[in-house]
Short mmCIF file of all heavy atoms in Angstrom, two decimals:
data_model
loop_
_atom_site.label_atom_id
_atom_site.label_comp_id
_atom_site.label_asym_id
_atom_site.label_seq_id
_atom_site.Cartn_x
_atom_site.Cartn_y
_atom_site.Cartn_z
N ILE A 84 -20.21 -1.30 -10.21
CA ILE A 84 -19.88 -2.71 -10.40
C ILE A 84 -19.39 -2.97 -11.77
O ILE A 84 -20.22 -3.28 -12.71
CB ILE A 84 -21.14 -3.57 -9.99
CG1 ILE A 84 -21.61 -3.42 -8.64
CG2 ILE A 84 -20.97 -5.04 -10.31
CD1 ILE A 84 -22.81 -3.96 -8.20
N GLU A 85 -18.12 -2.93 -12.00
CA GLU A 85 -17.45 -3.06 -13.24
C GLU A 85 -16.12 -3.87 -12.98
O GLU A 85 -15.47 -3.58 -12.00
CB GLU A 85 -17.17 -1.77 -13.93
CG GLU A 85 -18.50 -1.11 -14.41
CD GLU A 85 -18.13 0.25 -15.15
OE1 GLU A 85 -16.93 0.65 -15.15
OE2 GLU A 85 -19.06 0.80 -15.67
N GLY A 86 -15.79 -4.71 -13.92
CA GLY A 86 -14.59 -5.44 -13.73
C GLY A 86 -14.66 -6.67 -12.79
O GLY A 86 -15.84 -7.05 -12.46
N ASN A 87 -13.62 -7.21 -12.30
CA ASN A 87 -13.57 -8.26 -11.41
C ASN A 87 -13.73 -7.86 -9.99
O ASN A 87 -12.77 -7.65 -9.26
CB ASN A 87 -12.32 -9.09 -11.58
CG ASN A 87 -12.33 -10.43 -10.83
OD1 ASN A 87 -13.38 -10.90 -10.40
ND2 ASN A 87 -11.17 -11.01 -10.77
N VAL A 88 -14.92 -7.62 -9.56
CA VAL A 88 -15.31 -6.98 -8.25
C VAL A 88 -16.19 -7.86 -7.50
O VAL A 88 -16.84 -8.77 -7.96
CB VAL A 88 -15.89 -5.62 -8.40
CG1 VAL A 88 -14.89 -4.65 -9.05
CG2 VAL A 88 -17.18 -5.67 -9.15
N GLY A 89 -16.23 -7.63 -6.22
CA GLY A 89 -17.14 -8.39 -5.25
C GLY A 89 -17.59 -7.45 -4.22
O GLY A 89 -17.12 -6.29 -4.08
N LEU A 90 -18.40 -7.97 -3.34
CA LEU A 90 -19.10 -7.03 -2.20
C LEU A 90 -18.66 -7.88 -0.91
O LEU A 90 -18.72 -8.99 -0.70
CB LEU A 90 -20.55 -7.00 -2.36
CG LEU A 90 -21.04 -6.27 -3.59
CD1 LEU A 90 -22.58 -6.39 -3.64
CD2 LEU A 90 -20.57 -4.80 -3.65
N ILE A 91 -18.24 -7.00 0.12
CA ILE A 91 -18.05 -7.45 1.46
C ILE A 91 -19.02 -6.72 2.43
O ILE A 91 -18.76 -5.53 2.61
CB ILE A 91 -16.59 -7.37 1.87
CG1 ILE A 91 -15.75 -8.21 1.03
CG2 ILE A 91 -16.53 -7.78 3.34
CD1 ILE A 91 -14.31 -8.06 1.39
N PHE A 92 -19.97 -7.36 2.88
CA PHE A 92 -21.00 -6.66 3.80
C PHE A 92 -20.36 -6.85 5.25
O PHE A 92 -19.97 -7.93 5.60
CB PHE A 92 -22.40 -7.34 3.72
CG PHE A 92 -23.00 -7.06 2.39
CD1 PHE A 92 -22.83 -7.96 1.38
CD2 PHE A 92 -23.95 -6.00 2.20
CE1 PHE A 92 -23.39 -7.82 0.14
CE2 PHE A 92 -24.53 -5.81 0.96
CZ PHE A 92 -24.25 -6.62 -0.08
N THR A 93 -20.54 -5.80 6.01
CA THR A 93 -19.95 -5.90 7.35
C THR A 93 -20.75 -5.10 8.41
O THR A 93 -21.42 -4.14 8.13
CB THR A 93 -18.41 -5.35 7.31
OG1 THR A 93 -17.96 -5.45 8.70
CG2 THR A 93 -18.48 -3.84 6.94
N HIS A 94 -20.70 -5.67 9.63
CA HIS A 94 -21.16 -4.90 10.83
C HIS A 94 -19.99 -4.34 11.69
O HIS A 94 -20.33 -3.74 12.68
CB HIS A 94 -21.96 -5.92 11.72
CG HIS A 94 -23.22 -6.34 11.11
ND1 HIS A 94 -24.34 -5.48 10.76
CD2 HIS A 94 -23.72 -7.63 10.81
CE1 HIS A 94 -25.30 -6.18 10.24
NE2 HIS A 94 -25.01 -7.43 10.27
N GLY A 95 -18.77 -4.62 11.30
CA GLY A 95 -17.66 -4.17 12.02
C GLY A 95 -17.22 -2.81 11.77
O GLY A 95 -17.75 -2.04 10.97
N GLU A 96 -16.09 -2.32 12.46
CA GLU A 96 -15.54 -1.11 12.22
C GLU A 96 -14.87 -1.01 10.80
O GLU A 96 -14.04 -1.92 10.55
CB GLU A 96 -14.52 -0.72 13.36
CG GLU A 96 -13.89 0.68 13.20
CD GLU A 96 -14.89 1.83 13.46
OE1 GLU A 96 -15.85 1.51 14.16
OE2 GLU A 96 -14.72 2.86 12.85
N LEU A 97 -15.23 -0.08 9.98
CA LEU A 97 -14.81 -0.13 8.66
C LEU A 97 -13.21 -0.02 8.52
O LEU A 97 -12.63 -0.84 7.79
CB LEU A 97 -15.30 1.11 7.89
CG LEU A 97 -16.86 1.14 7.64
CD1 LEU A 97 -17.30 2.38 7.01
CD2 LEU A 97 -17.29 -0.04 6.68
N THR A 98 -12.61 0.72 9.24
CA THR A 98 -11.10 0.86 9.25
C THR A 98 -10.52 -0.48 9.59
O THR A 98 -9.54 -0.97 9.01
CB THR A 98 -10.66 1.92 10.13
OG1 THR A 98 -11.28 3.16 9.76
CG2 THR A 98 -9.05 2.14 9.90
N GLU A 99 -10.93 -1.09 10.66
CA GLU A 99 -10.41 -2.29 11.09
C GLU A 99 -10.56 -3.52 10.08
O GLU A 99 -9.66 -4.32 9.81
CB GLU A 99 -11.06 -2.77 12.43
CG GLU A 99 -10.65 -1.79 13.63
CD GLU A 99 -11.32 -2.19 14.89
OE1 GLU A 99 -12.04 -3.27 14.96
OE2 GLU A 99 -11.11 -1.51 15.89
N VAL A 100 -11.82 -3.57 9.58
CA VAL A 100 -12.07 -4.59 8.55
C VAL A 100 -11.27 -4.43 7.30
O VAL A 100 -10.63 -5.29 6.75
CB VAL A 100 -13.59 -4.59 8.15
CG1 VAL A 100 -13.83 -5.64 7.10
CG2 VAL A 100 -14.38 -4.97 9.37
N LYS A 101 -11.11 -3.19 6.95
CA LYS A 101 -10.22 -2.81 5.66
C LYS A 101 -8.80 -3.27 6.01
O LYS A 101 -8.12 -3.85 5.04
CB LYS A 101 -10.31 -1.37 5.37
CG LYS A 101 -9.47 -0.94 4.22
CD LYS A 101 -9.66 0.53 3.91
CE LYS A 101 -8.86 1.01 2.83
NZ LYS A 101 -7.32 1.03 3.16
N ASP A 102 -8.26 -2.97 7.18
CA ASP A 102 -6.86 -3.31 7.51
C ASP A 102 -6.65 -4.85 7.52
O ASP A 102 -5.65 -5.38 7.08
CB ASP A 102 -6.45 -2.78 8.79
CG ASP A 102 -6.38 -1.23 8.79
OD1 ASP A 102 -6.31 -0.70 7.69
OD2 ASP A 102 -6.45 -0.59 9.93
N THR A 103 -7.77 -5.60 8.02
CA THR A 103 -7.66 -7.05 8.05
C THR A 103 -7.55 -7.67 6.62
O THR A 103 -6.81 -8.53 6.25
CB THR A 103 -8.83 -7.61 8.80
OG1 THR A 103 -8.82 -7.04 10.10
CG2 THR A 103 -8.71 -9.11 8.95
N ILE A 104 -8.43 -7.02 5.73
CA ILE A 104 -8.43 -7.55 4.41
C ILE A 104 -7.18 -7.20 3.70
O ILE A 104 -6.59 -8.07 2.93
CB ILE A 104 -9.64 -6.82 3.58
CG1 ILE A 104 -10.95 -7.24 4.14
CG2 ILE A 104 -9.56 -7.11 2.08
CD1 ILE A 104 -12.15 -6.37 3.57
N SER A 105 -6.47 -6.11 4.02
CA SER A 105 -5.23 -5.76 3.30
C SER A 105 -4.08 -6.60 3.82
O SER A 105 -3.00 -6.64 3.14
CB SER A 105 -4.86 -4.30 3.67
OG SER A 105 -5.95 -3.39 3.16
N GLU A 106 -4.19 -7.32 4.94
CA GLU A 106 -3.13 -8.15 5.41
C GLU A 106 -2.91 -9.33 4.55
O GLU A 106 -1.72 -9.89 4.52
CB GLU A 106 -3.49 -8.58 6.81
CG GLU A 106 -3.50 -7.56 7.86
CD GLU A 106 -3.90 -8.02 9.25
OE1 GLU A 106 -4.16 -9.27 9.31
OE2 GLU A 106 -3.98 -7.24 10.28
N PHE A 107 -3.87 -9.79 3.85
CA PHE A 107 -3.71 -11.04 2.96
C PHE A 107 -3.40 -10.70 1.61
O PHE A 107 -4.16 -10.62 0.62
CB PHE A 107 -5.09 -11.87 3.08
CG PHE A 107 -5.42 -12.30 4.39
CD1 PHE A 107 -6.25 -11.50 5.25
CD2 PHE A 107 -4.89 -13.46 4.95
CE1 PHE A 107 -6.56 -11.94 6.49
CE2 PHE A 107 -5.26 -13.97 6.18
CZ PHE A 107 -6.04 -13.17 6.98
N LYS A 108 -2.07 -10.59 1.44
CA LYS A 108 -1.44 -10.37 0.11
C LYS A 108 -0.42 -11.50 -0.20
O LYS A 108 0.34 -11.93 0.78
CB LYS A 108 -0.85 -9.00 0.00
CG LYS A 108 -1.81 -7.80 0.11
CD LYS A 108 -1.06 -6.50 -0.15
CE LYS A 108 -2.05 -5.36 -0.06
NZ LYS A 108 -3.00 -5.39 -1.22
N VAL A 109 -0.33 -11.92 -1.43
CA VAL A 109 0.50 -13.00 -1.82
C VAL A 109 1.52 -12.49 -2.93
O VAL A 109 0.96 -11.76 -3.90
CB VAL A 109 -0.32 -14.28 -2.25
CG1 VAL A 109 0.62 -15.33 -2.84
CG2 VAL A 109 -1.15 -14.73 -1.25
N GLY A 110 2.72 -12.82 -2.75
CA GLY A 110 3.72 -12.37 -3.81
C GLY A 110 3.48 -13.21 -5.10
O GLY A 110 3.06 -14.47 -5.03
N ALA A 111 3.71 -12.47 -6.22
CA ALA A 111 3.46 -13.15 -7.49
C ALA A 111 4.54 -12.74 -8.53
O ALA A 111 5.01 -11.63 -8.41
CB ALA A 111 2.09 -12.73 -7.97
N PRO A 112 4.87 -13.69 -9.35
CA PRO A 112 5.90 -13.38 -10.41
C PRO A 112 5.27 -12.38 -11.42
O PRO A 112 4.04 -12.27 -11.53
CB PRO A 112 6.14 -14.71 -10.99
CG PRO A 112 5.06 -15.48 -10.81
CD PRO A 112 4.46 -15.11 -9.51
N ALA A 113 6.17 -11.72 -12.14
CA ALA A 113 5.75 -10.84 -13.33
C ALA A 113 5.34 -11.65 -14.50
O ALA A 113 6.26 -12.38 -15.01
CB ALA A 113 6.78 -9.82 -13.54
N LYS A 114 4.14 -11.54 -14.90
CA LYS A 114 3.73 -12.38 -16.12
C LYS A 114 3.55 -11.46 -17.34
O LYS A 114 3.35 -10.25 -17.24
CB LYS A 114 2.32 -12.98 -15.89
CG LYS A 114 2.34 -14.03 -14.68
CD LYS A 114 0.93 -14.61 -14.57
CE LYS A 114 0.87 -15.67 -13.40
NZ LYS A 114 -0.43 -16.26 -13.18
N VAL A 115 3.96 -12.04 -18.50
CA VAL A 115 3.96 -11.27 -19.75
C VAL A 115 2.55 -10.78 -20.09
O VAL A 115 1.52 -11.54 -19.96
CB VAL A 115 4.44 -12.14 -20.94
CG1 VAL A 115 4.44 -11.38 -22.22
CG2 VAL A 115 5.83 -12.76 -20.62
N GLY A 116 2.50 -9.49 -20.31
CA GLY A 116 1.22 -8.86 -20.79
C GLY A 116 0.38 -8.30 -19.53
O GLY A 116 -0.55 -7.52 -19.80
N THR A 117 0.77 -8.55 -18.35
CA THR A 117 -0.08 -8.07 -17.19
C THR A 117 0.46 -6.70 -17.02
O THR A 117 1.65 -6.15 -17.21
CB THR A 117 0.29 -8.84 -15.95
OG1 THR A 117 1.68 -8.90 -15.62
CG2 THR A 117 -0.26 -10.25 -16.10
N VAL A 118 -0.55 -5.79 -16.45
CA VAL A 118 -0.20 -4.37 -16.22
C VAL A 118 0.45 -4.35 -14.79
O VAL A 118 -0.10 -4.89 -13.80
CB VAL A 118 -1.48 -3.59 -16.21
CG1 VAL A 118 -1.23 -2.18 -15.89
CG2 VAL A 118 -2.11 -3.69 -17.62
N ALA A 119 1.53 -3.68 -14.79
CA ALA A 119 2.32 -3.65 -13.46
C ALA A 119 1.59 -2.78 -12.51
O ALA A 119 1.41 -1.62 -12.69
CB ALA A 119 3.82 -3.20 -13.76
N PRO A 120 1.28 -3.34 -11.30
CA PRO A 120 0.66 -2.46 -10.28
C PRO A 120 1.65 -1.61 -9.61
O PRO A 120 1.32 -0.70 -8.85
CB PRO A 120 0.11 -3.52 -9.23
CG PRO A 120 0.98 -4.76 -9.47
CD PRO A 120 1.40 -4.74 -10.86
N SER A 121 2.97 -1.80 -9.77
CA SER A 121 4.05 -0.94 -9.22
C SER A 121 5.27 -1.11 -10.02
O SER A 121 5.39 -2.03 -10.79
CB SER A 121 4.30 -1.37 -7.77
OG SER A 121 4.66 -2.74 -7.63
N SER A 122 6.19 -0.11 -9.91
CA SER A 122 7.39 -0.12 -10.63
C SER A 122 8.41 -1.21 -9.98
O SER A 122 8.27 -1.41 -8.71
CB SER A 122 8.14 1.22 -10.61
OG SER A 122 7.22 2.22 -11.21
N VAL A 123 9.27 -1.85 -10.76
CA VAL A 123 10.14 -2.80 -10.23
C VAL A 123 11.56 -2.35 -10.57
O VAL A 123 11.93 -2.12 -11.76
CB VAL A 123 9.90 -4.14 -10.87
CG1 VAL A 123 10.84 -5.22 -10.36
CG2 VAL A 123 8.45 -4.63 -10.64
N THR A 124 12.41 -2.35 -9.61
CA THR A 124 13.86 -2.04 -9.67
C THR A 124 14.66 -3.26 -9.28
O THR A 124 14.42 -3.80 -8.16
CB THR A 124 14.12 -0.79 -8.88
OG1 THR A 124 13.39 0.31 -9.27
CG2 THR A 124 15.59 -0.41 -9.01
N ILE A 125 15.71 -3.58 -10.19
CA ILE A 125 16.59 -4.63 -9.77
C ILE A 125 17.81 -3.97 -9.04
O ILE A 125 18.40 -3.13 -9.78
CB ILE A 125 17.06 -5.43 -11.00
CG1 ILE A 125 15.90 -6.17 -11.64
CG2 ILE A 125 18.12 -6.41 -10.64
CD1 ILE A 125 16.20 -6.91 -12.93
N PRO A 126 18.15 -4.42 -7.93
CA PRO A 126 19.32 -3.71 -7.21
C PRO A 126 20.66 -4.25 -7.75
O PRO A 126 20.72 -5.35 -8.39
CB PRO A 126 19.17 -4.18 -5.79
CG PRO A 126 18.41 -5.52 -5.94
CD PRO A 126 17.48 -5.41 -7.07
N ALA A 127 21.64 -3.34 -7.63
CA ALA A 127 22.99 -3.76 -8.09
C ALA A 127 23.52 -4.94 -7.19
O ALA A 127 23.17 -5.06 -6.00
CB ALA A 127 23.87 -2.65 -7.92
N GLY A 128 24.38 -5.77 -7.80
CA GLY A 128 24.89 -6.86 -7.10
C GLY A 128 25.03 -8.15 -7.96
O GLY A 128 24.73 -8.11 -9.17
N ASN A 129 25.64 -9.20 -7.39
CA ASN A 129 25.85 -10.39 -8.08
C ASN A 129 24.59 -11.21 -8.23
O ASN A 129 23.80 -11.34 -7.35
CB ASN A 129 26.93 -11.24 -7.31
CG ASN A 129 27.47 -12.36 -8.24
OD1 ASN A 129 26.81 -13.09 -8.78
ND2 ASN A 129 28.78 -12.37 -8.29
N THR A 130 24.32 -11.66 -9.48
CA THR A 130 23.11 -12.35 -9.87
C THR A 130 23.29 -13.83 -9.72
O THR A 130 22.25 -14.54 -9.65
CB THR A 130 22.68 -11.94 -11.32
OG1 THR A 130 23.69 -12.56 -12.22
CG2 THR A 130 22.39 -10.54 -11.52
N GLY A 131 24.48 -14.36 -9.71
CA GLY A 131 24.69 -15.84 -9.66
C GLY A 131 24.51 -16.47 -11.02
O GLY A 131 24.60 -17.74 -11.11
N MET A 132 24.23 -15.74 -12.06
CA MET A 132 24.00 -16.29 -13.40
C MET A 132 25.35 -16.38 -14.22
O MET A 132 26.17 -15.46 -13.96
CB MET A 132 22.93 -15.42 -14.16
CG MET A 132 21.59 -15.26 -13.51
SD MET A 132 20.52 -14.04 -14.24
CE MET A 132 20.28 -14.75 -15.95
N ASP A 133 25.41 -17.39 -14.99
CA ASP A 133 26.70 -17.51 -15.77
C ASP A 133 26.79 -16.61 -16.91
O ASP A 133 25.71 -16.03 -17.42
CB ASP A 133 26.81 -18.97 -16.27
CG ASP A 133 25.66 -19.38 -17.14
OD1 ASP A 133 25.74 -19.04 -18.39
OD2 ASP A 133 24.73 -19.94 -16.67
N PRO A 134 27.94 -16.25 -17.50
CA PRO A 134 28.12 -15.25 -18.53
C PRO A 134 27.38 -15.53 -19.75
O PRO A 134 27.15 -14.60 -20.57
CB PRO A 134 29.62 -15.19 -18.73
CG PRO A 134 30.18 -15.76 -17.45
CD PRO A 134 29.25 -16.76 -16.90
N SER A 135 26.95 -16.68 -20.02
CA SER A 135 26.23 -17.04 -21.26
C SER A 135 24.88 -16.36 -21.31
O SER A 135 24.24 -16.40 -22.41
CB SER A 135 26.08 -18.55 -21.36
OG SER A 135 25.30 -19.07 -20.35
N GLN A 136 24.37 -15.90 -20.24
CA GLN A 136 23.03 -15.35 -20.19
C GLN A 136 23.00 -13.89 -20.14
O GLN A 136 22.02 -13.23 -19.76
CB GLN A 136 22.26 -15.85 -18.88
CG GLN A 136 22.21 -17.32 -18.91
CD GLN A 136 21.38 -17.95 -17.69
OE1 GLN A 136 20.23 -17.58 -17.55
NE2 GLN A 136 21.99 -18.79 -16.90
#
Side-chain angles (χ1 to χ4, degrees):
I84 299 176
E85 294 181 353
N87 188 13
V88 297
L90 300 173
I91 297 180
F92 295 86
T93 182
H94 290 299
E96 182 65 30
L97 290 174
T98 304
E99 294 177 0
V100 177
K101 178 177 178 291
D102 292 341
T103 302
I104 295 171
S105 301
E106 291 175 2
F107 295 92
K108 292 185 179 294
V109 175
K114 295 181 180 180
V115 179
T117 59
V118 177
S121 60
S122 299
V123 180
T124 300
I125 297 178
N129 198 305
T130 64
M132 300 170 63
D133 61 83
S135 64
Q136 303 185 56

